[in-house]
């Protein structure tokens, strides 16, 4: 089990066509940090921070939690149950810049409190929810097997790291 892993500085993951990239990850409580580049207006990248299996969020056997961005640059925090997504929160349209890098940090405490942040300048700022709530508490799923990055052509992820919550 790798308790802390960082993609080396300057390295990035890119899908040249739509598809998924997965990484073994058994961390269910802790901090996930990464930068994402949304490559085109109609792209809708998502990252299953916690995934029960190596597959897309729509797979009928998939359970976990996900950060997603839609074509309107709206950010969502989802719970995924048997391949169906339920939004725990969403931001306003245009929350981030299309074709620009955005830094994300997601934390989950031992009590199951989820916080989704973006970095503005040098400060981590809680994403403002226009529907649902950020932060939110959810302990439906307490184990993870993978992190799954579902990216469209032209999307990038870099500086991805995950750190466990240590009691």
């Amino acid at each position: 089990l790798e308790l802390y892993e960082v993609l080396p500085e300057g390295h990035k993951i890119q899908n040249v066509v739509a598809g998924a990239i997965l990484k073994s990850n058994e961390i269910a409580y802790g901090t996930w940090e990464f930068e994402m580049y949304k490559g085109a207006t109609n792209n809708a990248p998502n990252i299953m921070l916690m995934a029960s299996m190596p597959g897309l969020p729509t797979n009928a056997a998939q359970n976990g939690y996900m950060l997603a961005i839609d074509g309107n640059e709206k950010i969502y925090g989802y719970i995924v149950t048997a391949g169906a997504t339920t939004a725990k929160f969403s931001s306003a349209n245009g929350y981030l810049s299309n074709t620009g890098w955005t830094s994300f940090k997601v934390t989950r405490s031992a009590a199951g409190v989820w916080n989704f942040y973006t970095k503005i300048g040098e400060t981590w700022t809680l994403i403002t929810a226009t529907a649902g709530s950020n932060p939110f508490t959810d302990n439906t799923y307490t184990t993870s097997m993978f992190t799954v990055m579902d990216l469209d052509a032209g999307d990038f992820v870099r500086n991805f790291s995950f750190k466990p919550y240590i009691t």
Side-chain angles (χ1 to χ4, degrees), residues 34-38 69 75 95-98 100-104 117-119 124 158:
F34 54 93
E35 293 172 82
M36 185 183 292
Y37 182 91
K38 185 174 178 289
I69 303 168
I75 302 169
Y95 194 86
L96 55 85
S97 297
N98 190 44
W101 287 100
T102 302
S103 297
F104 291 95
Y117 301 91
T118 55
K119 195 173 204 178
W124 288 107
R158 69 180 181 195

Side-chain angles (χ1 to χ4, degrees), residues 1-7 23-34 49-50 104-110 113-115 117 119 124 144 147 159-167:
L1 173 66
E2 298 170 76
L3 294 179
Y4 180 82
E5 183 170 340
V6 177
L7 192 63
K23 173 73 179 143
S24 176
N25 172 27
E26 295 181 6
I27 295 171
Y29 297 87
T31 301
W32 296 260
E33 286 187 39
F34 54 93
L49 304 164
M50 290 175 54
F104 291 95
K105 178 167 73 171
V106 180
T107 63
R108 185 185 194 194
S109 73
V113 178
W114 289 85
N115 292 275
Y117 301 91
K119 195 173 204 178
W124 288 107
S144 178
T147 292
N159 299 326
F160 194 96
S161 68
F162 31 82
K163 302 173 222 170
Y165 176 80
I166 299 174
T167 56

Side-chain angles (χ1 to χ4, degrees), residues 68-148:
I69 303 168
D70 72 10
N72 294 312
E73 287 68 57
K74 180 186 280 192
I75 302 169
Y76 296 85
Y78 284 113
I79 183 170
V80 179
T81 303
T85 57
T86 302
K88 299 301 278 184
F89 82 90
S90 63
S91 72
N93 286 339
Y95 194 86
L96 55 85
S97 297
N98 190 44
T99 65
W101 287 100
T102 302
S103 297
F104 291 95
K105 178 167 73 171
V106 180
T107 63
R108 185 185 194 194
S109 73
V113 178
W114 289 85
N115 292 275
F116 288 70
Y117 301 91
T118 55
K119 195 173 204 178
I120 299 170
E122 295 300 313
T123 305
W124 288 107
T125 303
L126 198 65
I127 296 170
T128 303
T130 57
S133 178
N134 181 29
F136 63 86
T137 301
D138 193 291
N139 280 304
T140 304
Y141 302 111
T142 59
T143 60
S144 178
M145 297 302 295
F146 298 94
T147 292
V148 179

